[in-house]
């Protein structure tokens, strides 16, 4: 998540929750088997999960395929 200021090796602090607001960085469970850290946005009846790295595309999925597991609340930088 380069453009969000999260670098390789950093530790993110996640608060467990099942809800998120547009723009939140969340841990999302996709199709009950893949956990990912992405920026959350509602897009009509779908959910857009946007990477903060230009090398990855935004994924737009039906809302029933995405479960928010938690929201980013902190970051521990490693050097």
């Amino acid at each position: 998540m380069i453009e969000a200021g999260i670098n390789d090796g950093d530790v993110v602090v996640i608060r467990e929750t099942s809800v998120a607001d547009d723009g939140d960085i969340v841990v999302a469970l996709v199709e009950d088997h893949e956990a990912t850290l992405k920026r959350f946005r509602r897009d009509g009846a779908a959910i857009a999960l946007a990477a903060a790295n230009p090398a990855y595309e935004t994924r737009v999925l039906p809302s029933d395929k995405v479960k928010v597991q938690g929201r980013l609340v902190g970051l521990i930088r490693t050097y």
Side-chain angles (χ1 to χ4, degrees):
M1 300 211 54
I2 296 167
E3 291 180 6
I6 303 171
N7 301 322
D8 260 354
D10 288 349
V11 176
V12 293
V13 180
I14 304 295
R15 176 170 291 134
E16 186 177 350
T17 183
S18 61
V19 297
D21 296 322
D22 286 351
D24 285 347
I25 295 176
V26 301
V27 174
L29 184 63
V30 178
E31 297 180 349
D32 288 325
H33 72 275
E34 174 194 354
T36 185
L37 186 68
K38 298 281 190 266
R39 193 165 302 274
F40 176 91
R41 187 180 81 243
R42 286 179 185 81
D43 189 10
I47 301 294
L49 298 174
N53 182 334
Y56 298 95
E57 293 186 18
T58 297
R59 295 173 68 183
V60 179
L61 301 151
S63 59
D64 65 338
K65 300 291 183 186
V66 177
K67 294 177 186 167
V68 173
Q69 303 289 291
R71 187 174 60 214
L72 177 79
V73 295
L75 174 75
I76 301 169
R77 175 83 59 215
T78 57
Y79 297 96

